Amino acid sequence: MTYPDTFEGFAVFNPSPETWSTVKKYEFTPKPFEDHDVDIKIQTCSICGSDVHSATNGWNKTNAYYPLVPGHEIIGKVVRLGPKVTDFKLGDRVGVGAQAQACLKCKICKSNNEIYCPHLVHTFGGVYQNQDGTETHSQGGYSNYARINDYFVFHIPEELSNEEAAPMLCAGITTFSPLVRNIPKELPEGQSKPRVGIVGLGGLGMMGIQWAHALGCETFVFSRTSRKKADAIKLGADQFIATAEDPDWVKKVEFDLDLVVCTANSAEGFDLNTYLRSLKIGGKWVNVGLPETPFTVSPRSFMANACFMGASHLGSHVEMIRMFKLAVEKGVRAWVEKIPISSDGVKEGLERCRYNKCRYRVALTDFDKAFA
Amino acid sequence: MTYPDTFEGFAVFNPSPETWSTVKKYEFTPKPFEDHDVDIKIQTCSICGSDVHSATNGWNKTNAYYPLVPGHEIIGKVVRLGPKVTDFKLGDRVGVGAQAQACLKCKICKSNNEIYCPHLVHTFGGVYQNQDGTETHSQGGYSNYARINDYFVFHIPEELSNEEAAPMLCAGITTFSPLVRNIPKELPEGQSKPRVGIVGLGGLGMMGIQWAHALGCETFVFSRTSRKKADAIKLGADQFIATAEDPDWVKKVEFDLDLVVCTANSAEGFDLNTYLRSLKIGGKWVNVGLPETPFTVSPRSFMANACFMGASHLGSHVEMIRMFKLAVEKGVRAWVEKIPISSDGVKEGLERCRYNKCRYRVALTDFDKAFA
């Protein structure tokens, strides 16, 4: 069978340390087509750190399943519309991020927080509870097609190329949402701009720095070494701090920042207690990376400045629309390296992502050729 | 020598498990009297959990010193005024909390956050850097006299008795400050009151419940068992949840609370991950207890509802004044049990505090007799 009965994607079959990045073509049956569904013929999908964590089962999910097709930074063309879809027409260029479904009825959803809906389904690695009573594993965007509820499908502004836009759908919104939710609305006398830190310059940091700058913040970038300093400045950093190169780095920013968005992907060797000292009284630290091991923190670490630590997951429909508007207005673009999709291309992309060997995202392209 | 050259107090000499609550009278030299100092003849001092942690050196402070006179919920009469003190006159009834000094010049102090000043000196257990270049260990309120910078001395409203007011100076302000700083100013449509949780009903919780109620919040009290339910309701609780009596307790409040102030004094067996689920999207958890061991938390624990965890330390001068005003307006009173001060009285008070055997604070009284 072929589309629309089955889709085809590049799947991880075994998350073991030897085979996690080895993908093979895999035919799968998508969820039943429902009234609000949109089918998308995929043109581009960029590679997110979550793809790696899922390919290795690094989060030790007990309900992980394989074969698993990763990918949730998806751009393509609308090829089929459910009868209740009103916002799209055939041929529209659209994007899909990491969320594919929510109940859209609960108090969480009704408050524009559908990303925190207890019934959310992720674009891959999740389980759809279909209207016909069946269940379907969700599979991601290293595929020829995606079938997604229209609330989680977004128009892509014509000013952005596929590759410039794709990473915004996860890395972009993941850093945009905690900024717009937590940048203080009022500033003390004498402070003209919010002071925001971005920790780490990878796929998330690359987007976060640009958003913080575009949102009018004085932007502080923290990285271990100076290696990425020129890039950080180009992305919009006002200050760059190489934490491994100056044991007293925190003195430059002590009690100074309103908000820090931390994209660090590992808790190991991460000196959270020192970092927290960079926050103003009552300042906020938001984790958007998802380390595989926990932090150990004492309430005392927060007591020196009454600071807060939290986390954030993706962002809402309303925020996604606002984000793309800002990208157009302020010239924000994802920085990507392109790799044509294939078994080898996916392997290379996943490994570059895992070992921080790209500036700063890999976008899989040429889907037409791979799924001819 | 005697006052004003030396003061006398009941001191812990050895923080060992056998001797931590054994106190003996101890004569000590106070800091030199400076222009902004106020000398207070102490009438009442209530016993705070910090007194116990300090008596046992439970926080493993490397700079702890003994003999140590605890006590930082102090009420007494002004008996001596530095030449630059303008707010007080001899004979005024005043109170002192856990902070005795700050630089009052840095940006932290200038923003009404002097409690987070890097140069803060606690009322006991700290070190004064005197203007004459010497250093003095600070000693607390289980004493005949206290010598305190006037910014950290407060008028006590005549409506409050010594014992009703004393615990407000630490337990009171410790719970008041995080409430007034973090209760949301705007509520979503359909919600008429902020929803605030207080975890634990001891000395801190006894004050926190009253403040939350007085500040117009719907107040949720969490305790292990129903034993203290009647008291919680009397203190102003709208809802009481006995977490050990209902394994599904969190379902009653899931995604529901704007703010939780946690007074728990121990991290052991404390199911922080479940508690965090009680918070609304973006809600805040503030620790005011200081467990002796750290929590282990994953950023993932915060990701289900984008919540935040932080901590808070005491409160500011401005907040202290606001707190006493509210106490008068709304009839807030500390619930205390009185014990006349003596070696035996202090021992009993410290042990009742450590083992949760009081409702809900012990106030040491009859200083006149002990220091005749």
Side-chain angles (χ1 to χ4, degrees):
Chain A
M1 286 193 294
T2 55
Y3 176 81
D5 297 311
T6 61
F7 297 178
E8 195 178 29
F10 289 93
V12 177
F13 281 71
N14 184 335
S16 78
E18 295 77 29
T19 56
W20 70 276
S21 61
T22 300
V23 297
K24 282 184 290 194
K25 265 199 185 171
Y26 169 65
E27 190 173 5
F28 61 92
T29 303
K31 69 185 284 296
F33 192 78
E34 295 173 356
D35 288 356
H36 273 283
D37 281 340
V38 177
D39 276 3
I40 299 161
K41 188 169 196 306
I42 302 176
Q43 298 174 321
T44 306
C45 184
S46 44
I47 297 179
C48 174
S50 304
D51 299 3
V52 173
H53 289 291
S54 302
T56 61
N57 200 19
W59 293 321
N60 288 309
K61 282 178 65 172
T62 51
N63 57 350
Y65 52 80
Y66 301 88
L68 175 76
V69 180
H72 58 208
E73 295 182 340
I74 299 169
I75 308 259
K77 296 273 184 187
V78 173
V79 292
R80 188 178 177 196
L81 294 163
K84 293 194 178 158
V85 178
T86 54
D87 284 354
F88 301 97
K89 57 183 197 306
L90 294 177
D92 280 353
R93 188 172 64 133
V94 296
V96 174
Q99 183 172 15
Q101 210 176 66
C103 81
L104 302 180
K105 291 172 196 163
C106 69
K107 67 179 178 181
I108 310 295
C109 287
K110 295 284 184 200
S111 63
N112 288 322
N113 285 305
E114 72 282 354
I115 190 59
Y116 301 105
C117 173
H119 305 288
L120 101 97
V121 180
H122 284 117
T123 301
F124 70 83
V127 179
Y128 289 110
Q129 304 296 330
N130 302 312
Q131 285 165 14
D132 64 9
T134 61
E135 288 186 350
T136 309
H137 283 155
S138 64
Q139 299 286 7
Y142 302 177
S143 301
N144 52 357
Y145 292 94
R147 176 166 295 167
I148 306 287
N149 179 286
D150 60 348
Y151 198 71
F152 301 97
V153 177
F154 299 91
H155 289 285
I156 303 300
E158 60 186 21
E159 291 85 349
L160 306 177
S161 73
N162 281 359
E163 295 77 21
E164 287 168 342
M168 293 186 190
L169 291 150
C170 179
I173 193 70
T174 294
T175 47
F176 184 78
S177 176
L179 288 170
V180 295
R181 288 181 183 221
N182 295 298
I183 288 172
K185 287 173 185 62
E186 288 171 31
L187 296 174
E189 221 180 280
Q191 185 184 342
S192 60
K193 293 176 170 191
R195 292 200 191 99
V196 170
I198 304 289
V199 175
L201 174 38
L204 289 161
M206 172 270 293
M207 294 302 323
I209 297 167
Q210 292 187 80
W211 299 134
H213 179 71
L215 289 163
C217 302
E218 188 176 349
T219 305
F220 296 72
V221 176
F222 299 86
S223 190
R224 286 183 206 259
T225 70
S226 305
R227 196 166 56 86
K228 298 174 180 172
K229 181 171 179 177
D231 284 349
I233 303 289
K234 207 165 160 188
L235 288 161
D238 296 291
Q239 303 279 343
F240 183 92
I241 293 171
T243 57
E245 294 174 6
D246 176 3
D248 281 339
W249 67 267
V250 78
K251 292 192 179 153
K252 295 178 189 162
V253 286
E254 203 157 22
F255 291 117
D256 224 20
L257 304 180
D258 294 291
L259 171 66
V260 173
V261 174
C262 177
T263 72
N265 209 7
S266 166
E268 254 174 89
F270 189 84
D271 186 4
L272 182 61
N273 291 316
T274 298
Y275 264 113
L276 292 176
R277 290 166 54 195
S278 69
L279 292 168
K280 269 195 199 169
I281 309 301
K284 286 175 168 176
W285 178 275
V286 185
N287 292 294
V288 294
L290 265 180
E292 294 176 355
T293 52
F295 292 116
T296 299
V297 284
S298 162
R300 307 192 76 180
S301 306
F302 300 91
M303 208 157 267
N305 52 2
C307 68
F308 289 93
M309 180 175 85
S312 172
H313 185 46
L314 308 175
S316 72
H317 177 96
V318 170
E319 287 163 345
M320 192 80 94
I321 290 168
R322 181 174 166 195
M323 175 189 76
F324 277 117
K325 189 161 172 281
L326 186 74
V328 171
E329 284 169 9
K330 302 284 187 177
V332 175
R333 300 290 182 270
W335 290 16
V336 295
E337 297 172 352
K338 298 182 202 178
I339 300 181
I341 192 167
S342 68
S343 295
D344 287 348
V346 169
K347 184 181 178 66
E348 186 185 338
L350 285 171
E351 291 179 358
R352 276 205 219 167
C353 178
R354 182 169 190 180
Y355 303 114
N356 299 314
K357 291 191 173 159
C358 65
R359 295 175 57 250
Y360 285 94
R361 209 69 164 173
V362 167
L364 298 167
T365 62
D366 298 86
F367 280 54
D368 267 352
K369 289 175 200 158
F371 299 108
Chain B
M1 287 190 293
T2 54
Y3 176 82
D5 297 310
T6 61
F7 297 177
E8 196 178 30
F10 289 94
V12 177
F13 281 70
N14 184 335
S16 78
E18 296 76 29
T19 56
W20 70 276
S21 61
T22 301
V23 297
K24 283 183 288 193
K25 265 201 185 168
Y26 170 64
E27 190 174 5
F28 61 92
T29 303
K31 69 184 284 296
F33 192 78
E34 295 172 356
D35 288 356
H36 272 282
D37 281 341
V38 177
D39 277 2
I40 300 160
K41 189 169 195 307
I42 302 176
Q43 298 174 322
T44 308
C45 183
S46 45
I47 297 179
C48 173
S50 304
D51 298 3
V52 173
H53 290 291
S54 302
T56 61
N57 199 18
W59 293 318
N60 289 308
K61 281 177 68 171
T62 52
N63 57 348
Y65 52 81
Y66 301 89
L68 176 76
V69 180
H72 58 209
E73 295 182 341
I74 299 169
I75 308 259
K77 295 273 182 186
V78 173
V79 291
R80 187 179 177 196
L81 293 163
K84 293 195 178 157
V85 177
T86 55
D87 285 355
F88 302 97
K89 55 181 198 308
L90 294 177
D92 280 353
R93 189 172 64 132
V94 296
V96 173
Q99 184 172 15
Q101 208 176 67
C103 81
L104 301 180
K105 292 173 195 162
C106 69
K107 66 179 178 181
I108 310 297
C109 287
K110 295 284 184 198
S111 62
N112 288 323
N113 285 305
E114 72 281 355
I115 189 59
Y116 301 105
C117 173
H119 305 287
L120 101 96
V121 179
H122 285 116
T123 302
F124 70 83
V127 179
Y128 290 109
Q129 304 296 330
N130 303 312
Q131 285 165 13
D132 63 10
T134 60
E135 289 187 349
T136 309
H137 283 157
S138 63
Q139 299 286 7
Y142 302 177
S143 302
N144 51 358
Y145 292 94
R147 176 166 295 166
I148 307 286
N149 180 286
D150 60 348
Y151 198 71
F152 302 97
V153 177
F154 300 91
H155 289 285
I156 303 299
E158 59 185 22
E159 290 85 349
L160 306 177
S161 73
N162 281 358
E163 294 78 21
E164 287 169 343
M168 293 187 189
L169 291 151
C170 178
I173 193 69
T174 295
T175 47
F176 184 79
S177 177
L179 289 169
V180 294
R181 289 181 184 221
N182 295 297
I183 288 171
K185 286 173 185 62
E186 289 172 32
L187 296 173
E189 221 180 281
Q191 185 184 342
S192 61
K193 291 177 171 191
R195 291 199 190 100
V196 170
I198 304 288
V199 176
L201 175 39
L204 289 161
M206 172 270 293
M207 294 303 323
I209 297 166
Q210 293 188 80
W211 300 133
H213 179 71
L215 289 163
C217 302
E218 189 176 349
T219 305
F220 296 72
V221 176
F222 299 86
S223 191
R224 287 183 205 259
T225 70
S226 304
R227 195 166 57 87
K228 298 175 181 172
K229 182 171 179 178
D231 283 348
I233 303 289
K234 207 164 159 189
L235 288 161
D238 297 290
Q239 303 279 343
F240 183 92
I241 294 172
T243 57
E245 294 173 5
D246 176 4
D248 282 339
W249 65 268
V250 78
K251 292 192 180 155
K252 295 179 190 163
V253 286
E254 202 158 23
F255 291 116
D256 225 21
L257 303 181
D258 294 292
L259 172 66
V260 174
V261 174
C262 177
T263 73
N265 209 7
S266 166
E268 254 174 273
F270 189 85
D271 186 4
L272 182 62
N273 291 316
T274 299
Y275 264 112
L276 291 176
R277 289 166 55 197
S278 68
L279 291 168
K280 269 195 198 169
I281 309 301
K284 285 175 169 176
W285 177 274
V286 185
N287 293 294
V288 294
L290 265 181
E292 294 177 354
T293 53
F295 292 118
T296 298
V297 284
S298 163
R300 306 192 77 180
S301 305
F302 301 91
M303 208 157 267
N305 53 2
C307 68
F308 288 93
M309 179 174 87
S312 174
H313 184 45
L314 309 175
S316 73
H317 177 97
V318 171
E319 287 163 348
M320 193 80 93
I321 291 168
R322 182 174 165 195
M323 175 190 76
F324 278 116
K325 190 161 173 280
L326 186 73
V328 171
E329 284 170 9
K330 301 284 186 178
V332 174
R333 300 291 182 269
W335 290 16
V336 294
E337 297 173 351
K338 297 183 204 177
I339 300 182
I341 191 167
S342 69
S343 294
D344 287 348
V346 170
K347 184 181 177 68
E348 185 185 339
L350 285 170
E351 291 178 358
R352 277 205 219 166
C353 178
R354 182 169 190 179
Y355 303 114
N356 299 314
K357 291 192 174 159
C358 64
R359 294 175 58 249
Y360 285 94
R361 209 68 163 174
V362 168
L364 299 167
T365 61
D366 298 86
F367 280 54
D368 267 351
K369 290 176 201 157
F371 299 107

